[in-house]
């Protein structure tokens, strides 16, 4: 007698699961998109901001600025999996902080992702107020996705102190700020902390990433101190074309930044990606037109600033608003930060007194705060370190730049292995006799 055929299973073979590497809860589409989104966010930092920072600064700071970004990325990865992930998304220690612990064990990483780990109950202590999110992929994917967000926050902060922060101080600052600042914001808003349960909306990091990095960058710039006088007066980009290349990577990578935060490949992620590009393009155009109207020149660096403020502004709202609202937010993000950077910064002594190298307080703090406020309107339903190591580089390093700090220069213009020679190097890096006939204006002058 012939054996009866196996029962019909309407689920495709590829999705039936049951094997060790393909558990029944795994959705391969969601997992693939989430890993792609994480990689896109990682590419925003490495090489995106590495290229952008290395190009937007004076030639003598190209290596130092690029390396600050690269170092921060590597340091955050190790700190994140060693203790910081669970401080941000683990079990509750305080209303604003999770319990520290490693995210390295296989048993933890191959289980289905779930966050926040801290369950909040109503006053009866039985009814769950907000349930855990349990996306259809492993915890390893979630840990990596959240890691690249933490890394880019530190790198954005670095933009405020380029061109003068002691690299050894930066090496110590990165893990300390990640531990005592970023984890607090992440847990409070995303990890089950008090702001999470107050209903504060931050779709993809307008507060946790951009507002915090902008304010922290401004504060850090104050404590580190300013650049040398001639660097503050004249700080032209060393390669505008590479600035555009880095900015392009930042823009395209934002698809993962906002598109990955629904934690699934769904309609919400599609809306988030479209809204992100709408707002960025609108802000880019508005900033450029304001430069043309008031400075009579369309500044390339200004356009990049406008692109960034658009991306930052839409971040807390990307998956929560309609397309028309993304355009309105783009108009606001292209004009309000432009006004604070070009007008307020020069007239308010507090802002002008602090040397925020790339204007991070405007492009991230102002734009992030603006995005948070507009989300509410449009949504559809550091003082550790200077006691140990000098924060600012010594005067002789500030004058020379990369060659003095790293023993390397961005471009081999003086011959292989040739040592620093003030009679040759200084002429190209700071000599004013060859300055442009017409001085830079607009956003170019700011940076």
């Amino acid at each position: 007698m012939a054996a009866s055929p196996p029962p019909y299973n309407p689920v495709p073979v590829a999705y039936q699961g049951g094997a060790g590497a393909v558990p029944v809860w795994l959705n391969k589409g969601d997992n693939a998109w989430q890993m792609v989104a994480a990689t896109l966010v990682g590419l925003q930092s490495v090489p995106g901001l590495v290229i952008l920072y290395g190009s937007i600064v004076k030639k003598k700071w190209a290596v130092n600025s690029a390396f600050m970004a690269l170092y921060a990325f590597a340091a955050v990865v190790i700190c994140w999996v060693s203790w910081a992930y669970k401080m941000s998304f683990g079990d509750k220690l305080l209303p604003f902080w999770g319990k520290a612990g490693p995210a390295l064990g296989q048993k933890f990483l191959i289980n289905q992702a779930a966050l926040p780990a801290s369950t909040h109950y109503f006053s009866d202590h039985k009814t769950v107020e907000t349930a855990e999110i349990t996306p259809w992929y492993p915890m390893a994917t979630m840990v990596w996705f959240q890691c690249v967000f933490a890394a880019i926050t530190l790198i954005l902060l670095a933009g405020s102190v380029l061109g003068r922060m002691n690299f050894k101080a930066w090496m110590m600052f990165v893990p300390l700020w990640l531990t005592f600042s970023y984890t607090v914001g992440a847990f409070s808003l995303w990890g089950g902390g008090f702001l999470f349960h107050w209903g504060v909306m931050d779709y993809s990091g307008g507060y946790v990433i951009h507002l915090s990095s902008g304010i922290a960058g401004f504060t850090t710039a104050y404590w580190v101190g300013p650049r040398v006088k001639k660097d503050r007066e004249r700080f032209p980009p060393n390669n505008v074309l590479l600035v555009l290349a880095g900015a392009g990577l930042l823009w395209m990578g934002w698809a993962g930044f906002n598109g990955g935060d629904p934690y699934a490949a769904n309609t919400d992620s599609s809306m988030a990606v479209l809204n992100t590009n709408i707002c960025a393009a609108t802000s880019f155009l508005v900033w450029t037109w304001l430069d043309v109207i008031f400075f009579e020149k369309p500044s390339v660096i200004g356009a990049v600033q406008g692109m960034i403020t658009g991306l930052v502004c839409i971040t807390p709202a990307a998956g929560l608003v309609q397309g028309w609202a993304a355009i309105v937010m783009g108009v606001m993000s292209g004009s309000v930060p432009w006004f604070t950077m070009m007008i307020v910064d020069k007239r308010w002594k507090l802002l002008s007194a602090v040397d925020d190298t790339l204007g991070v307080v405007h492009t991230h703090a102002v734009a992030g705060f603006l995005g948070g406020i507009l989300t509410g309107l449009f949504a559809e339903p550091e003082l550790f370190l200077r006691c140990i190591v000098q924060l600012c580089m010594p005067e002789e390093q500030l004058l020379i730049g990369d060659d003095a700090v790293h023993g390397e220069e961005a471009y081999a213009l003086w011959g292989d292995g040739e040592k620093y020679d003030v009679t040759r190097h200084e002429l190209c890096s700071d000599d004013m006799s060859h300055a442009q006939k017409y001085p830079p204006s607009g956003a170019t002058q700011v940076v």
Side-chain angles (χ1 to χ4, degrees), residues 331-346:
V331 172
M332 296 294 290
S333 64
S335 55
V336 174
W338 182 94
F339 179 76
T340 64
M341 179 179 282
M342 300 302 171
I343 309 299
V344 178
D345 190 89
K346 295 174 175 59

Side-chain angles (χ1 to χ4, degrees), residues 18-68:
V22 188
V24 293
W25 45 259
L26 179 66
N27 183 299
K28 295 180 181 179
D30 284 353
N31 192 38
W33 166 240
Q34 207 65 31
M35 289 192 290
V36 168
T39 302
L40 287 171
V41 179
L43 287 171
Q44 290 183 288
S45 297
V46 184
L49 286 171
V50 171
I51 294 173
L52 180 61
Y53 284 2
S55 308
I56 203 170
V57 296
K58 214 170 188 176
K59 184 185 79 72
K60 70 176 184 179
W61 292 119
V63 171
N64 182 262
S65 300
F67 192 40
M68 282 182 70

Side-chain angles (χ1 to χ4, degrees), residues 172-393:
M172 300 174 66
F173 177 87
V174 168
L176 286 172
W177 193 86
L178 174 73
T179 302
F180 294 103
S181 184
Y182 182 83
T183 59
V184 172
F187 184 84
S188 298
L189 263 166
W190 291 337
F194 72 104
L195 293 176
F196 178 88
H197 295 292
W198 284 1
V200 177
M201 291 185 297
D202 185 4
Y203 173 82
S204 191
Y207 296 136
V208 176
I209 295 172
H210 299 295
L211 183 60
S212 68
S213 64
I215 293 175
F218 187 78
T219 306
T220 307
Y222 171 80
W223 287 110
V224 171
R227 290 165 288 175
V228 293
K229 188 169 183 278
K230 60 183 176 180
D231 277 0
R232 291 199 73 179
E233 292 173 348
R234 183 172 179 269
F235 205 67
N238 69 78
N239 194 317
V240 175
L241 293 180
L242 281 181
V243 169
L244 291 176
L249 286 167
L250 195 65
W251 187 344
M252 293 299 101
W254 224 282
F257 200 103
N258 289 343
D261 266 305
Y263 299 136
N266 56 21
T267 55
D268 193 25
S269 63
S270 299
M271 281 298 300
V273 172
L274 181 60
N275 282 337
T276 297
N277 286 280
I278 291 173
C279 187
T282 304
S283 185
F284 177 102
L285 296 176
V286 169
W287 193 296
T288 301
W289 273 108
L290 287 172
D291 276 348
V292 170
I293 292 169
F294 288 94
F295 299 116
E296 299 181 354
K297 293 180 181 178
S299 167
V300 173
I301 304 302
V304 170
Q305 301 280 33
M307 176 206 80
I308 292 172
T309 56
L311 293 168
V312 170
C313 184
I314 195 63
T315 290
L320 306 174
V321 300
Q322 297 184 49
W324 63 265
I327 293 179
V328 175
M329 293 180 74
V331 172
M332 296 294 290
S333 64
S335 55
V336 174
W338 182 94
F339 179 76
T340 64
M341 179 179 282
M342 300 302 171
I343 309 299
V344 178
D345 190 89
K346 295 174 175 59
R347 298 184 180 181
W348 190 9
K349 291 184 178 179
L350 174 63
L351 290 175
S352 59
V354 177
D355 183 16
D356 182 354
T357 306
L358 300 185
V360 175
V361 70
H362 304 286
T363 57
H364 293 277
V366 173
F369 180 75
L370 180 65
I373 297 298
L374 294 174
T375 298
L377 292 176
F378 297 134
E380 304 285 330
E382 52 218 83
L383 294 173
F384 302 111
L385 282 178
R386 67 175 181 175
C387 299
I388 304 171
V389 61
Q390 181 182 350
L391 288 175
C392 193
M393 296 181 188

Side-chain angles (χ1 to χ4, degrees), residues 100-121:
L104 291 167
Q106 183 178 1
K107 185 177 180 181
F108 171 76
L109 293 175
I110 66 172
N111 282 337
Q112 184 177 1
L115 82 164
S118 297
T119 305
H120 193 80
Y121 296 92

